[in-house]
Amino acid sequence: MMMKRAILIILLFCIPVIAFSTPAFAQAEDAEAQKDRPWLVGVNGGLSLSAEIDDLEAIGMGVHVGFDFAYPLSETFALGFYLSLGGGFMGAIHPYSEYDRFYYPFKFSAGILVEIGELRQRPFLFGAGPCAGLGFVDMDLVLPWEIRFGRFVSEHVYIMADLTYGYSLAHETVYLEPTIRVGYNFGHKKKKDE
């Protein structure tokens, strides 16, 4: 399982390198136009509702921070990645004992992020993270499956919603976490020699 995940992560980071080295992208537009395309270099923060629905039957809230990056390959498409870190608390609905009723989940995840649409306007954002990360719910290791979608609401501000489905390697825990994120794009600043 770890080997498959490592191969997947390596392939995800090789895609942009292969795309940039092909002559089609290099000759599509002149160098000046390529330097002027807007990049996504942003940070985001969000709130989530979390629920463990199989073993613990618990519900709670979480706080998340993240980093988003996408390099423009054309005027209407950018490809990159995201990183996210989050944690929170959950309370058991039917606790086993009065001393063991609160849990503190933690999650780190990564995935592919793309921008689709006119990059100078308000493009759409889509992301996916197939088990590229890990989480802990009541000391049980959970692998997160994530899907994200969103859109820029202004030149620098974007909003994303994501849904995480996590399952444990021990087949004991099923974890759901919808999240709303607000991000700010610092973008790529042109250097004076560019």
Side-chain angles (χ1 to χ4, degrees):
M1 182 71 171
M2 293 299 287
M3 185 61 129
K4 289 180 183 178
R5 190 173 344 152
I7 291 171
L8 178 65
I9 291 171
I10 291 169
L11 287 174
L12 294 177
F13 286 108
C14 288
I15 290 171
V17 173
I18 294 168
F20 297 144
S21 63
T22 59
F25 284 105
Q27 297 173 0
E29 295 179 347
D30 63 349
E32 195 60 38
Q34 288 179 354
K35 290 179 186 176
D36 194 37
R37 291 180 185 152
W39 294 28
L40 171 58
V41 181
V43 294
N44 68 67
L47 294 174
S48 66
L49 292 175
S50 51
E52 201 288 313
I53 58 173
D54 193 18
D55 180 36
L56 301 174
E57 294 184 351
I59 192 163
M61 294 187 68
V63 176
H64 300 269
V65 294
F67 173 75
D68 303 311
F69 175 82
Y71 183 83
L73 299 177
S74 72
E75 294 292 331
T76 58
F77 183 79
L79 177 65
F81 65 92
Y82 69 84
L83 301 171
S84 179
L85 183 67
F89 71 92
M90 292 181 8
I93 297 172
H94 307 290
Y96 297 119
S97 75
E98 62 181 273
Y99 304 107
D100 190 22
R101 53 192 294 178
F102 295 106
Y103 310 99
Y104 304 97
F106 166 82
K107 181 183 74 168
F108 170 77
S109 60
I112 296 176
L113 184 68
V114 297
E115 284 183 274
I116 299 175
E118 180 58 48
L119 298 182
R120 297 181 199 291
Q121 301 296 319
R122 295 184 305 145
F124 290 94
L125 299 163
F126 297 99
C131 291
L134 59 92
F136 291 98
V137 177
D138 190 30
M139 301 309 292
D140 198 5
L141 178 64
V142 175
L143 299 179
W145 287 80
E146 287 186 339
I147 186 162
R148 295 183 175 198
F149 54 92
R151 188 168 191 190
F152 274 83
V153 294
S154 72
E155 182 180 355
H156 294 287
V157 178
Y158 55 97
I159 296 176
M160 286 190 295
D162 69 61
L163 178 64
T164 301
Y165 170 82
Y167 67 95
S168 70
L169 296 177
H171 304 290
E172 294 178 353
T173 302
V174 175
Y175 179 68
L176 293 174
E177 186 174 47
T179 305
I180 297 292
R181 299 173 183 268
V182 176
Y184 185 84
N185 181 19
F186 294 95
H188 171 65
K189 294 185 170 53
K190 289 181 67 176
K191 297 178 184 174
K192 292 184 180 180
D193 60 346
E194 291 182 343

